[in-house]
Amino acid sequence: EHEPCIGSCIINMYSKCGNLQDACAVFAKFPRKNVILWNTIITGYLEHNHCEEVLSTLEEMQVKGINPDRISYMSALRACSDLLALEEGRRFHSVIAEKGFDVHLSIKNTLIDMYGKCGKLDDARMMFDKSEQRSFVTWNAMIGGYTQHGHGQEALQLFLQMKQENIEPDKVAYIYLLKACSSTIALERGRKIHDMVYEAGLVSSDMAVANTLVDMYVKFGLTTMAKEIFDKIRGRSVVSWNILLGGYLDSECGEKAIDCYTNMESEGVSGDAITFVCVLKACGAIGSLTDAYQTHAAIVIKGLENASLIGNT
């Protein structure tokens, strides 16, 4: 267990199993840590969304005289993305360029993603346009940046360019594109992407894609179409039900929302705070005090009565 390569595997195993505490304990036992060990614990922090620890550990690594490599900086950039730490990300970009790591496609993709998430879409696009080699990850990073910041039209234009260059979208791209259609009220484009998603077999096989498709149609007020897709989702999660519930509520179909909740319970899916907020609003919309009492009772049984969002509703 004192061999760095074995130690790295043990740290990685604990981290992947959700036990970051033991991963850190194993890491701490090594008197001499090489870059692989440091990268493994940094990756563990990143996987558990401890982004501040990623940056502080990278700094500690350098203080101890270990030079970060490309993997180290990729983790740092991803942490900056999640923290929306633009200035820190720019600083890492400068160091990466000085070390010559910016020639690697994986680094370019991570930089595009970082700038996109931080809202610096011009910087992200400049890096995207300069990339002579682009993978589907490159396209996803740029399309995602546009979508997340409400530039749906630019995301859809980039998708057309992607198709012209014979790059096949993956499920991540489809999720971003469906969201872009919702934000730009591009129903016909959304229908075409729906057809592509269907042909790729993702409606029935990928819950995240199917949920986004349902969400797109409910945002257009097309609850019947949304319900047809919803019925095809296998093993529907509470997120799937909440999207449809919210769609019925927004379309002023309070009775359908309450029926939807009843069906959800009959299928053994336990509602969360969002579910009950939607159901309570539906009860108010149709003036059903009986349903409101029953929903209130279910909230008390599940121990959610003290949640402020539910209490307000």
Side-chain angles (χ1 to χ4, degrees), residues 4-284:
C5 61
I6 296 294
S8 176
C9 291
I10 295 172
I11 293 166
N12 184 60
M13 179 272 295
Y14 278 124
S15 176
K16 288 282 195 296
C17 291
N19 193 336
L20 191 58
Q21 184 176 358
D22 281 352
C24 292
V26 173
F27 176 78
K29 287 180 181 179
F30 279 85
R32 294 181 181 178
K33 305 175 182 72
N34 62 14
V35 68
I36 296 173
L37 281 168
W38 284 97
N39 283 346
T40 306
I41 197 64
I42 285 171
T43 303
Y45 282 132
L46 188 64
E47 289 172 344
H48 290 267
N49 296 317
H50 295 299
C51 295
E52 295 283 1
E53 284 83 351
V54 170
L55 301 182
S56 62
T57 304
L58 183 68
E59 185 176 347
E60 181 186 352
M61 171 184 178
Q62 292 172 289
V63 169
K64 296 288 178 65
I66 305 296
N67 289 321
D69 63 6
R70 179 166 54 95
I71 306 299
S72 315
Y73 286 117
M74 280 180 61
S75 295
L77 288 172
R78 287 173 180 158
C80 291
S81 297
D82 290 345
L83 293 169
L84 302 180
L86 177 61
E87 292 309 313
E88 193 76 6
R90 286 193 189 280
R91 186 175 68 80
F92 284 123
H93 187 179
S94 298
V95 175
I96 286 166
E98 287 174 9
K99 292 179 177 290
F101 292 147
D102 57 344
V103 298
H104 295 277
L105 181 60
S106 56
I107 286 284
K108 291 178 183 178
N109 292 343
T110 312
L111 282 166
I112 292 169
D113 182 68
M114 186 271 295
Y115 282 123
K117 284 181 178 172
C118 290
K120 300 301 291 183
L121 297 175
D122 289 342
D123 289 341
R125 187 58 190 258
M126 183 174 65
M127 290 212 62
F128 177 86
D129 290 337
K130 285 182 178 179
S131 297
E132 296 178 3
Q133 181 187 5
R134 297 172 187 148
S135 67
F136 66 89
V137 177
T138 318
W139 292 90
N140 286 353
M142 195 66 244
I143 289 172
Y146 280 136
T147 303
Q148 289 164 11
H149 292 278
H151 295 268
Q153 195 60 45
E154 287 85 347
L156 293 171
Q157 288 174 352
L158 203 60
F159 168 64
L160 295 176
Q161 184 182 339
M162 180 181 182
K163 293 293 289 181
Q164 289 171 356
E165 296 190 20
N166 296 317
I167 305 294
E168 284 299 317
D170 65 351
K171 66 179 184 180
V172 175
Y174 282 127
I175 287 171
Y176 283 139
L177 292 164
L178 290 168
K179 288 180 178 179
C181 291
S182 301
S183 67
T184 55
I185 321 178
L187 178 57
E188 288 309 309
R189 176 62 62 186
R191 289 188 190 278
K192 290 179 181 178
I193 295 171
H194 178 185
D195 290 340
M196 295 172 67
V197 167
Y198 182 80
E199 289 173 6
L202 293 172
V203 175
S204 58
S205 65
D206 192 281
M207 189 181 297
V209 173
N211 285 346
T212 311
L213 196 53
V214 172
D215 185 61
M216 181 191 75
Y217 281 116
V218 299
K219 280 186 168 63
F220 286 119
L222 301 174
T223 54
T224 301
M225 189 65 195
K227 180 64 164 58
E228 287 180 13
I229 298 162
F230 174 85
D231 288 339
K232 295 175 183 176
I233 302 175
R234 298 173 185 170
R236 294 181 285 257
S237 68
V238 66
V239 175
S240 309
W241 289 94
N242 285 348
I243 291 169
L244 189 62
L245 265 169
Y248 283 138
L249 191 63
D250 291 340
S251 297
E252 299 181 355
C253 301
E255 290 183 357
K256 286 186 177 181
I258 291 171
D259 289 342
C260 183
Y261 167 67
T262 303
N263 293 333
M264 173 183 175
E265 289 284 300
S266 67
E267 288 193 15
V269 180
S270 183
D272 60 10
I274 295 171
T275 309
F276 289 115
V277 165
C278 289
V279 178
L280 288 169
K281 286 182 177 178
C283 293

